[in-house]
Amino acid sequence: MTTGRPEGLFPLFADLTGLDGIGPKTALIFGQMGVEKPRDLLFTLPHSGIDRQRRDSIRDVDPPAVVTVEVEVGRHFPPASRGRPYRIEVTDSQTTFHLVFFHAREDYLTRLLPTGQRRIVSGRVELFDGIAQMVHPDHVLAPDEAEEIAPYEPVYPLTSGLTQKIMARAVAAALERTTSMGEWIDPGVMQREGWPDWQAALKTAHAPGTAADLSTDAPARRRLAYDELLAHQLTLALARVERKRKRGIVSRATGTLQRKVLNALPYHPTAAQERAIGEITDDMARPERMNRLLQGDVGSGKTVVAFMALLVAVEAGGQGVMMAPTEILARQHLEGLQPLAEQAGVVLELLTGRDKGSERAAKLAALAAGDIQVLVGTHAVFQKDVVFCDLRLAVVDEQHRFGVRQRLELGAKGQGADVLVMTATPIPRSLALAQYGDMDVSVLDEKPPGRKPVKTALIGTTRIDEVVASLRRAVGEGRQAYWVCPLVEESESVDLTSAEDRFRRLRAALGDDVVGLVHGQMPPADKDAAMSRFVAGQTSVLVATTVIEVGVNVPNASIMVIERAESFGLAQLHQLRGRVGRGTAESTCLLLYQAPLGESGRRRLEILRQTEDGFRIAEEDLAMRGAGDLIGHAQSGLPRFRVADLERQGALMNLAQSDARKLLHDDPGLTTPRGCAARHLLWLMEQDKAIRLISVG
């Protein structure tokens, strides 16, 4: 079995300059669009089309409109002075109109449109001073060449220096290089969906007959999108198989420590929490390494689930580590877990960058000896001198703050340690599969008992004085509040109130010792001190930027004011609102907006007022902003798909994942006819990583 690129694909990976009409200069221009070989042209699909069906007369359309019509060429009217247009009178079956050209040479136009001859012209007809005219027709052909104009002409994305003509010619040349390949899609799926084969799908997608053929629901487009998603999911599934092949450590729960903690909890875990704990406990008892994502909305009780998992590691005689992206969060995890650890009689310690000298040395010695059973820390736990006696489980909090590489480094700290990743950012299912498709997923979709709904209200910034007055009353009653601002310092170019400025104004209104300030540009020690004062109740109002979006837990805080809320993303607003509603008091979130609100700003704020369901909010956010914006390509590791549209074709991702996993289950070496075709697909989609995994296998 060859592990190199299949011969049939060579022409698609050759140089662009081998295609008709593409020289080195044009190839460079194509490169600016990310098109570097014929294969890239195949997956650059038209985004719209122009109806160029033949009409009897321009009277058949309402200008302005594109029309294709046969005419008899009449008189030529060269320009009377420089800068004036050249006009040619033409007559169709019912009326006369003008063809208009700017900066055109007379000898060229008399050859192209000789008086008395018949021509097919196609272009946009407009009325100018009551006279119909077609400025610079897109096509001028003799009647016997009419079939060169497609009845529905595809329109491609372009960059400066490219024309639709060059693009169409290049695509046609690339299509000629395709060959029929074996089918990599499950026959049952093909039949059920009514999809054409790969080659036919490409030809149809590049030659739409109507606007319906350009839709993401058109069978040819859906098939090509599915190819892309299947290749991506095959890669993730191969990575998953490869990871499972590496031996993990069997960590069997005895249940003794877990029972002590569950008995000490003031409430009964939700069904979702129990399900997640069961899934993780089962995974840890298997010989393969666990690689699981725990996804839960704000306040769904992920920390308790994670601690139960850490207890499995301890019950089995090993150690666990929980890592948070910031020191504030790490300390908070420590404070939240300490009482539970005491109930279970488990030794829990914190390790951050602040630990120095003899104190740090003592912690490292205890960790290496196995005396510390659960370690909570920041990325400081990555350092070379941090050695565990027997690390069984690594829990990573807020995965989107850590790269995949860091996730693997952490897993490497323990020979075969299980990995549990937690995120409080609800991700639409299609994106979760694109980003975490190599992982098993547990979802917490219920709120623990006692979490009160947060009342959300929209208030214009003109009423800010009323908000400050009601805040003064609330502070007088012993309540605490967050006040979130979009910027740290006033910027002349953007009229958004800064945290510094709002801090000064609120201190003047409420009192110096009542208001604290925290933002990302402060030194870490100052930031921690301000947070600690607020957590301890020494300050009642905390003015902050979005640094508090993740994690901070102050049950007494029951008011969240978000200034210029229209400038925040939907998921971010939801995360911020989740900071309140954690205690016994009724909680409120005030969204202060500056009128007039734009259409998308209003829609975001209205969705937030209607629902507290983070998964529904995430789906809305995806629909409004698109996948790239939602996670941010650079740090997300989210693949860039050329054809697939995750906003509109999310269901295909689910199908691709189950199909890919089933294919590898039935044919692990990809040696059957369908398996060999799947290898071709991986080469075609440039999934080199996956190809290496099969080669090794």
Side-chain angles (χ1 to χ4, degrees):
M1 165 87 44
T2 60
T3 53
R5 180 181 291 130
E7 216 169 301
L9 293 178
F10 286 179
L12 297 181
F13 284 82
D15 205 316
L16 271 186
T17 50
L19 295 179
D20 182 30
I22 298 184
K25 199 171 154 195
T26 310
L28 280 176
I29 297 171
F30 269 115
Q32 291 165 14
M33 288 175 61
V35 173
E36 290 167 354
K37 45 198 168 305
R39 171 238 175 245
D40 302 334
L41 280 166
L42 298 178
F43 299 118
T44 305
L45 300 186
H47 57 68
S48 58
I50 299 169
D51 183 354
R52 294 202 189 271
Q53 287 183 72
R54 283 276 287 279
R55 307 275 178 182
D56 204 32
S57 165
I58 63 166
R59 286 190 165 171
D60 294 348
V61 301
D62 295 322
V66 172
V67 66
T68 304
V69 66
E70 185 171 338
V71 296
E72 184 173 311
V73 181
R75 289 179 300 167
H76 282 230
F77 299 95
S81 60
R82 269 176 77 88
R84 307 288 297 163
Y86 191 115
R87 293 178 179 276
I88 302 173
E89 192 177 74
V90 294
T91 307
D92 65 23
S93 64
Q94 294 179 38
T95 188
T96 296
F97 61 99
H98 283 172
L99 303 182
V100 179
F101 298 86
F102 289 90
H103 314 298
R105 293 200 326 274
E106 188 172 351
D107 59 339
Y108 166 73
L109 289 177
T110 48
R111 277 200 314 276
L112 184 71
L113 291 147
T115 301
Q117 295 285 316
R118 300 194 73 76
R119 289 289 182 267
I120 307 290
V121 293
S122 182
R124 187 178 169 83
V125 171
E126 295 172 305
L127 291 177
F128 183 73
D129 286 347
I131 297 169
Q133 61 178 33
M134 186 185 284
V135 179
H136 286 280
D138 302 317
H139 299 274
V140 177
L141 295 167
D144 60 354
E145 297 168 333
E147 71 283 350
E148 282 184 30
I149 303 176
Y152 191 77
E153 184 179 77
V155 176
Y156 288 94
L158 299 177
T159 189
S160 172
L162 284 183
T163 63
Q164 291 295 340
K165 231 170 218 162
I166 294 171
M167 189 71 181
R169 196 164 147 195
V171 167
L175 282 168
E176 280 174 16
R177 293 185 166 210
T178 60
T179 54
S180 172
M181 290 201 264
E183 188 52 75
W184 47 74
I185 297 179
D186 178 84
V189 171
M190 285 283 285
Q191 197 175 354
R192 189 183 72 234
E193 298 287 336
W195 286 340
D197 69 37
W198 178 70
Q199 223 180 351
L202 276 174
K203 286 178 177 162
T204 304
H206 283 287
T210 65
D213 294 335
L214 295 161
S215 140
T216 50
D217 290 330
R221 288 222 171 199
R222 272 176 72 82
R223 190 247 139 97
L224 294 174
Y226 187 73
D227 290 342
E228 234 178 349
L229 299 178
L230 181 63
H232 175 64
Q233 286 298 328
L234 263 174
T235 302
L236 292 175
L238 280 161
R240 184 168 173 261
V241 167
E242 175 66 13
R243 191 177 286 113
K244 297 225 163 184
R245 193 183 290 150
K246 289 180 181 154
R247 305 303 288 173
I249 309 161
V250 173
S251 297
R252 282 204 181 81
T254 62
T256 49
L257 300 177
Q258 285 189 336
R259 269 194 300 279
K260 284 179 185 172
V261 172
L262 288 173
N263 292 338
L265 286 178
Y267 57 85
H268 191 73
T270 63
Q273 282 176 308
E274 288 182 332
R275 183 175 66 236
I277 291 166
E279 288 166 348
I280 293 163
T281 305
D282 289 349
D283 273 2
M284 290 178 71
R286 293 198 178 99
E288 305 88 18
R289 289 178 79 166
M290 173 172 78
N291 190 36
R292 187 170 280 278
L293 175 71
L294 177 62
Q295 194 187 357
D297 204 351
V298 176
S300 55
K302 292 183 298 300
T303 312
V304 168
V305 173
F307 191 62
M308 288 293 156
L310 290 164
L311 290 179
V312 173
V314 178
E315 285 177 355
Q319 293 165 295
V321 62
M322 182 187 245
M323 197 170 80
T326 65
E327 192 164 319
I328 292 175
L329 267 180
R331 288 186 182 283
Q332 199 165 288
H333 278 315
L334 181 80
E335 283 155 23
L337 298 178
Q338 198 83 60
L340 302 178
E342 281 167 11
Q343 291 294 334
V346 167
V347 181
L348 180 75
E349 255 308 345
L350 176 73
L351 182 70
T352 71
R354 269 202 216 176
D355 291 308
K356 299 279 188 288
S358 57
E359 191 184 346
R360 178 181 162 85
K363 282 186 184 177
L364 295 185
L367 193 66
D371 297 339
I372 294 173
Q373 293 164 296
V374 175
L375 184 69
V376 175
T378 57
H379 58 275
V381 304
F382 282 141
Q383 288 161 1
K384 292 271 189 293
D385 59 348
V386 179
V387 178
F388 291 83
C389 173
D390 179 11
L391 179 61
R392 300 294 187 94
L393 173 67
V395 179
V396 181
D397 191 16
E398 285 306 328
Q399 159 63 17
H400 67 284
R401 303 284 172 111
F402 290 107
V404 174
R405 187 175 55 77
Q406 286 169 301
R407 195 162 94 202
L408 296 174
E409 273 178 26
L410 187 65
K413 279 280 177 195
Q415 220 32 58
D418 291 322
V419 176
L420 178 68
V421 166
M422 299 198 295
T423 176
T425 312
I427 307 168
R429 180 149 173 77
S430 59
L431 290 193
L433 289 177
Q435 210 183 358
Y436 302 115
D438 60 326
M439 306 178 84
D440 298 303
V441 182
S442 293
V443 178
L444 298 181
D445 47 12
E446 300 170 62
K447 288 252 200 300
R451 284 287 300 214
K452 288 192 162 59
V454 178
K455 191 173 152 216
T456 304
L458 274 57
I459 298 175
T461 46
T462 50
R463 295 173 55 198
I464 207 155
D465 291 345
E466 293 173 44
V467 174
V468 174
S470 63
L471 196 58
R472 189 182 292 114
R473 286 194 296 277
V475 166
E477 293 162 7
R479 295 170 70 188
Q480 283 180 280
Y482 295 100
W483 189 300
V484 177
C485 301
L487 288 179
V488 178
E489 286 173 17
E490 204 71 70
S491 146
E492 285 178 27
S493 58
V494 190
D495 172 33
L496 297 176
T497 304
S498 75
E500 302 268 8
D501 183 51
R502 180 56 61 207
F503 171 61
R504 285 192 289 271
R505 292 184 192 197
L506 286 177
R507 279 180 80 171
L510 304 173
D512 285 2
D513 52 351
V514 174
V515 187
L517 171 70
V518 59
H519 59 70
Q521 291 175 22
M522 290 166 74
D526 296 359
K527 199 161 47 178
D528 286 358
M531 288 298 319
S532 303
R533 282 196 297 276
F534 185 64
V535 170
Q538 292 162 2
T539 49
S540 300
V541 178
L542 185 65
V543 176
T545 53
T546 52
V547 292
I548 59 143
E549 177 190 343
V550 173
V552 192
N553 186 25
V554 184
N556 191 46
S558 57
I559 300 163
M560 169 63 74
V561 181
I562 304 174
E563 193 164 351
R564 296 301 297 271
E566 76 278 8
S567 69
F568 290 89
L570 196 48
Q572 207 172 27
L573 289 169
H574 175 64
Q575 288 285 323
L576 289 168
R577 175 171 62 182
R579 299 297 113 219
V580 296
R582 291 166 170 252
T584 50
E586 293 290 330
S587 291
T588 311
C589 177
L590 303 179
L591 303 173
L592 295 181
Y593 66 88
Q594 184 156 314
L597 266 181
E599 179 58 40
S600 70
R602 176 169 296 284
R603 188 173 153 201
R604 277 202 304 276
L605 300 188
E606 284 295 345
I607 290 163
L608 210 72
R609 186 161 68 177
Q610 289 163 15
T611 182
E612 279 193 74
D613 179 344
F615 288 93
R616 188 189 147 202
I617 286 169
E619 295 287 354
E620 291 281 357
D621 208 10
L622 175 63
M624 288 172 75
R625 289 204 285 157
D629 282 349
L630 197 62
I631 303 184
H633 282 289
Q635 75 274 26
S636 69
L638 192 70
R640 292 171 185 270
F641 296 117
R642 279 184 184 265
V643 179
D645 178 338
L646 290 185
E647 289 97 278
R648 294 176 185 83
Q649 296 174 315
L652 284 181
M653 186 66 98
N654 294 0
L655 185 58
Q657 189 193 48
S658 55
D659 194 7
R661 288 187 176 187
K662 183 178 185 301
L663 173 59
L664 283 179
H665 177 270
D666 298 346
D667 179 14
L670 296 182
T671 51
T672 62
R674 186 186 165 202
C676 291
R679 286 171 178 258
H680 282 199
L681 172 68
L682 291 171
W683 278 110
L684 181 66
M685 295 301 177
E686 303 183 299
Q687 298 285 350
D688 306 9
K689 179 177 143 200
I691 292 154
R692 278 200 305 277
L693 287 174
I694 316 171
S695 310
V696 171

